[in-house]
Amino acid sequence: MKGDLFSSEHVVRPATAPGMYVENAKCVRYVVNGEMLARQGAMVAWRGSLQFERKGQGVGGMLKRAVTGEGLALMAVRGQGEAWFAHEAQNCFIVQIDPGDEFTVNGRNVLCFDASLSYEIKTVKGSGIAGGGLFNSVFTGQGRLGLACEGNPLVIPVTPQQPVYVDTDAVVGWTARLHTSLHRSQSIGSMLRGGSGEAVQLMLQGEGHVIVRPSEATPHKTQQH
């Protein structure tokens, strides 16, 4: 076969080493030699000698997922082979997490990660149930985390002198040592209409980075955490 479709731009290259790689802007490739974890439904192709197992969250995790809508329906991938992960042609990125790091991320943005990473659902500090019940996934340990983001993310530095305010439906995640709280302000739309409605943002203070996608989540996508 000939044509642009079969050019080196699209045909996958031979694997060189185990682990996670960005195959292209829209897909993450994982060369499995042992075990890795992925969000259920994120795998688009695989080959080799691989086994798949739905991974439970335990009673506490299932209860928290039912109450909050946040969580990761995971599967374990074991064996030797290759798997590709993507979500709705969103842009894909890899985050390297080292010992002592802590990365908080919205579950809807997770594609896959090394089995050496630990994962836990936590309440976003300062939000509370009254603030909409904001819950995110917190990763620690050492390994790589594959993420998908609708559009090119904004990575905004946060300093003690300059806190950052982000839309709760647009935030992807943030690094350790950042403190969160809810900030209420008059919305521009409400002011134009002469109303008194409030907009709610997540305020991040401290030293680190916050990752924001260049669009708000639609109601349908917000429920797919």
Side-chain angles (χ1 to χ4, degrees):
M1 298 292 292
K2 297 180 180 179
D4 293 342
L5 178 62
F6 298 94
S7 68
S8 59
E9 180 183 357
H10 303 297
V11 177
V12 299
R13 298 174 296 277
T16 56
M20 185 188 307
Y21 308 89
V22 174
E23 182 70 52
N24 57 44
K26 309 294 184 182
C27 189
V28 167
R29 177 188 195 179
Y30 202 112
V31 181
V32 185
N33 183 23
E35 180 179 1
M36 56 84 64
L37 295 168
R39 192 178 73 187
Q40 292 179 23
M43 188 173 66
V44 296
W46 66 278
R47 64 184 178 187
S49 180
L50 295 177
Q51 295 180 330
F52 308 95
E53 178 184 347
R54 185 185 300 269
K55 195 167 181 64
Q57 302 183 53
V59 176
M62 292 299 291
L63 178 61
K64 186 174 291 186
R65 176 178 172 82
V67 171
T68 67
E70 170 63 49
L72 285 176
L74 297 175
M75 67 175 180
V77 183
R78 302 184 180 95
Q80 284 76 41
E82 298 167 273
W84 287 265
F85 301 92
H87 181 64
E88 297 181 348
Q90 294 182 5
N91 293 340
C92 295
F93 305 89
I94 293 176
V95 175
Q96 174 68 44
I97 299 175
D98 293 318
D101 288 344
E102 182 178 282
F103 187 68
T104 300
V105 63
N106 195 307
R108 68 182 174 225
N109 297 105
V110 173
L111 285 177
C112 56
F113 55 95
D114 292 337
S116 56
L117 290 177
S118 298
Y119 146 76
E120 184 179 1
I121 300 173
K122 289 187 177 181
T123 307
V124 176
K125 292 182 179 178
S127 67
I129 299 300
L134 303 179
F135 295 83
N136 273 355
S137 308
V138 181
F139 288 87
T140 56
Q142 184 169 21
R144 308 187 91 190
L145 170 65
L147 300 177
C149 177
E150 188 173 346
N152 286 321
L154 305 171
V155 180
I156 306 174
V158 182
T159 66
Q161 296 76 27
Q162 283 193 314
V164 176
Y165 304 83
V166 299
D167 189 292
T168 56
D169 286 333
V171 63
V172 173
W174 58 88
T175 58
R177 295 183 294 277
L178 289 181
H179 305 287
T180 59
S181 61
L182 285 189
H183 176 77
R184 298 181 182 274
S185 64
Q186 181 98 13
S187 69
I188 294 177
S190 176
M191 287 189 289
L192 291 176
R193 293 190 300 270
S196 59
E198 289 183 317
V200 179
Q201 300 93 34
L202 188 66
M203 180 172 70
L204 298 105
Q205 299 172 291
E207 192 80 33
H209 294 83
V210 58
I211 299 92
V212 181
R213 67 182 193 154
S215 66
E216 295 183 354
T218 63
H220 171 67
K221 291 183 179 179
T222 303
Q223 296 171 4
Q224 295 181 344
H225 289 187

